[in-house]
Amino acid sequence: MIMTIFILLITAVIAFVYIPKLKKSNETKTIVIFSIFLMLGAALNIAVSLRFKIPSPIDLITFIFSPIKDLFVSLTK
């Protein structure tokens, strides 16, 4: 619980430091993308701190490309 509060505090500090600078230069698209990635990172860090099982991205890549690999292997035999 303490780690979750700490992560949220750090996320808020990062947002309060960078978003005003982006507002001054009228970077609305950058603010949106920055906010999305910041919230995604905070959510993943909170999930890790609460010991949730987060699947590895390599599992998705393997799932997608293993049939393609098998196709190429079968074509070369």
Side-chain angles (χ1 to χ4, degrees):
M1 184 67 182
I2 300 288
M3 194 61 143
T4 302
I5 294 170
F6 183 69
I7 292 169
L8 290 174
L9 181 66
I10 294 297
T11 303
V13 168
I14 291 170
F16 285 128
V17 168
Y18 285 105
I19 290 178
K21 292 178 186 178
L22 292 171
K23 276 187 179 181
K24 283 183 183 177
S25 59
N26 292 327
E27 297 282 340
T28 55
K29 291 179 187 177
T30 307
I31 292 172
V32 171
I33 298 299
F34 174 78
S35 299
I36 290 170
F37 280 123
L38 186 62
M39 288 300 120
L40 181 65
L44 286 173
N45 278 309
I46 290 170
V48 167
S49 72
L50 294 176
R51 291 188 171 85
F52 286 130
K53 184 176 179 341
I54 300 172
S56 172
I58 197 72
D59 294 337
L60 177 64
I61 294 169
T62 304
F63 176 76
I64 292 171
F65 285 108
S66 62
I68 296 170
K69 179 197 74 137
D70 293 341
L71 176 69
F72 283 124
V73 168
S74 69
L75 290 175
T76 60
K77 285 187 179 182

